[in-house]
Amino acid sequence: MATMLTVRLDAELERDLELLCEKSGQSRSDFVRHALRRQIRQAEFAALRSELMPYAEAQGWVTDEDVFRDVS
C-alpha cells in the first residue's frame, strides 16, 4: 500500500520542480520519488564507504586509482 507524504516547498523550489517536470515530462510525484530514491542510495553508499575506509586504507587503498590499479 502506498503512503502519502506532504512536503512544504518554498516558492523557488516549487518553481524549479515545475520547470524540471515540464522539461522531463514526469509528474511531480514521479520526479520526487526518483529524487528521494537517489538520495537514499547516495546516503547508503556514503555510510558504507565510511565503514569500509579503515579496511581499504589498511590495504593501501586511499584513492579510487589505488583500487583500480590493484583490481585491474
Side-chain angles (χ1 to χ4, degrees), residues 1 9 15 22 28 33 37-40 52 54 56-58 64 66 71:
M1 178 168 77
L9 306 176
R15 186 175 50 251
E22 287 176 18
R28 290 166 33 135
R33 273 192 295 272
R37 281 187 190 104
R38 181 180 169 96
Q39 185 64 33
I40 288 169
L52 294 176
E57 290 171 351
D64 290 340
D66 296 334
V71 173

Side-chain angles (χ1 to χ4, degrees), residues 1-71:
M1 178 168 77
T3 301
M4 184 183 299
L5 172 67
T6 302
V7 178
R8 295 186 191 277
L9 306 176
D10 61 39
E12 181 182 0
L13 189 54
E14 182 181 15
R15 186 175 50 251
D16 291 345
L17 177 60
E18 287 297 329
L19 288 172
L20 286 170
C21 288
E22 287 176 18
K23 288 180 182 180
S24 69
Q26 290 181 295
S27 70
R28 290 166 33 135
S29 291
D30 286 342
F31 190 91
V32 171
R33 273 192 295 272
H34 175 77
L36 185 55
R37 281 187 190 104
R38 181 180 169 96
Q39 185 64 33
I40 288 169
R41 298 299 172 258
Q42 286 178 339
E44 290 172 341
F45 178 80
L48 182 59
R49 186 177 184 121
S50 292
E51 184 179 328
L52 294 176
M53 278 304 293
Y55 300 104
E57 290 171 351
Q59 295 296 316
W61 295 346
V62 180
T63 67
D64 290 340
E65 288 77 20
D66 296 334
V67 175
F68 293 135
R69 180 192 63 238
D70 289 352
V71 173

